[in-house]
Amino acid sequence: MVHLHSSIDSREKKETSILSIIETIILVMLVWFIALHYDYYMHIWTAIFIAPFLMLKTDKSTKKAIELFTY
């Protein structure tokens, strides 16, 4: 089921919220606007290399992603 906004219960049930979908679309558009308008791509490359570690959601992978980000 889709909700307007997320809550602790909806997160545990892994239900999608409409606001999270809208937020994701807006932020992706913003990231690409910055990249194309200012000809600056470092934030995209950083996300490409760190995101896989965060998506694994294990303690070790999350720590590794934070280490890479702070490096």
Side-chain angles (χ1 to χ4, degrees):
M1 177 168 220
V2 178
H3 298 281
L4 178 60
H5 58 84
S6 62
S7 66
I8 294 173
D9 294 333
S10 65
R11 182 178 171 195
E12 289 175 359
K13 295 178 184 177
K14 298 184 181 183
E15 296 174 338
T16 305
S17 70
I18 294 172
L19 290 177
S20 66
I21 295 169
I22 293 169
E23 175 184 310
T24 302
I25 292 169
I26 290 171
L27 290 177
V28 167
M29 289 170 42
L30 178 65
V31 163
W32 282 104
F33 170 78
I34 291 169
L36 296 173
H37 188 267
Y38 295 104
D39 197 32
Y40 180 77
Y41 301 95
M42 183 55 101
H43 61 290
I44 294 174
W45 287 112
T46 303
I48 288 171
F49 289 114
I50 293 176
F53 292 106
L54 294 174
M55 289 181 181
L56 292 174
K57 294 190 178 184
T58 63
D59 289 336
K60 186 176 179 180
S61 65
T62 304
K63 287 178 185 177
K64 184 66 174 175
I66 292 170
E67 285 176 16
L68 287 172
F69 183 71
T70 56
Y71 174 72

